[in-house]
Amino acid sequence: MPKKIVYIEDDLEMTYLIKMILERKDYEVISTNDGLEGFALIERESPDLVLLDLMMPNIDGWDIYHQIKSNENTSQIPVIIISAKAQPIDKVLGLEIAKVNNYIGKPFKPQELLESIESILN
């Protein structure tokens, strides 16, 4: 049974690229480009992992992350941030303060993403 990943990203080209990379590795990827729909999608799909962009219209990725972690039904789902906000301070805030499972800056190498996902799901 393939591992299920929810990907919340407003950039459709990035969504297509990530889906293509992950589906070739037999992950099931369910995505939305609407951050407001993101948390509802996570609740409905109960994924093994969430990939989350930070800078989106209407709702910030951190708001979605806090919804995930404050809900007892979703709080145990691992989250990887994938963001263009990739200064060292952003990564420190994400990894050390917010306690995300990983923080990957855009642009990134596909192998970096795959290794991060595999280390969390395996």
Side-chain angles (χ1 to χ4, degrees), residues 52-63:
L52 180 60
D53 183 26
L54 291 180
M55 296 183 295
M56 295 182 288
N58 302 322
I59 188 169
D60 184 79
W62 285 123
D63 292 334

Side-chain angles (χ1 to χ4, degrees), residues 65-85:
Y65 178 75
H66 291 299
Q67 287 178 339
I68 294 167
K69 294 304 172 182
S70 65
N71 183 303
E72 70 178 39
N73 296 324
T74 59
S75 65
Q76 297 305 311
I77 299 171
V79 177
I80 297 175
I81 299 294
I82 301 176
S83 179
K85 285 186 72 168

Side-chain angles (χ1 to χ4, degrees), residues 79-104:
V79 177
I80 297 175
I81 299 294
I82 301 176
S83 179
K85 285 186 72 168
Q87 296 299 315
I89 188 67
D90 297 312
K91 289 185 176 187
V92 168
L93 289 172
L95 293 167
E96 302 298 325
I97 306 299
K99 303 292 186 196
V100 298
N101 294 84
N102 203 352
Y103 194 115
I104 298 174

Side-chain angles (χ1 to χ4, degrees), residues 21 25 108-116 118:
I21 291 167
K25 294 291 185 178
F108 58 88
K109 293 182 173 103
Q111 193 59 34
E112 178 184 5
L113 176 63
L114 288 170
E115 288 172 0
S116 179
E118 290 167 7

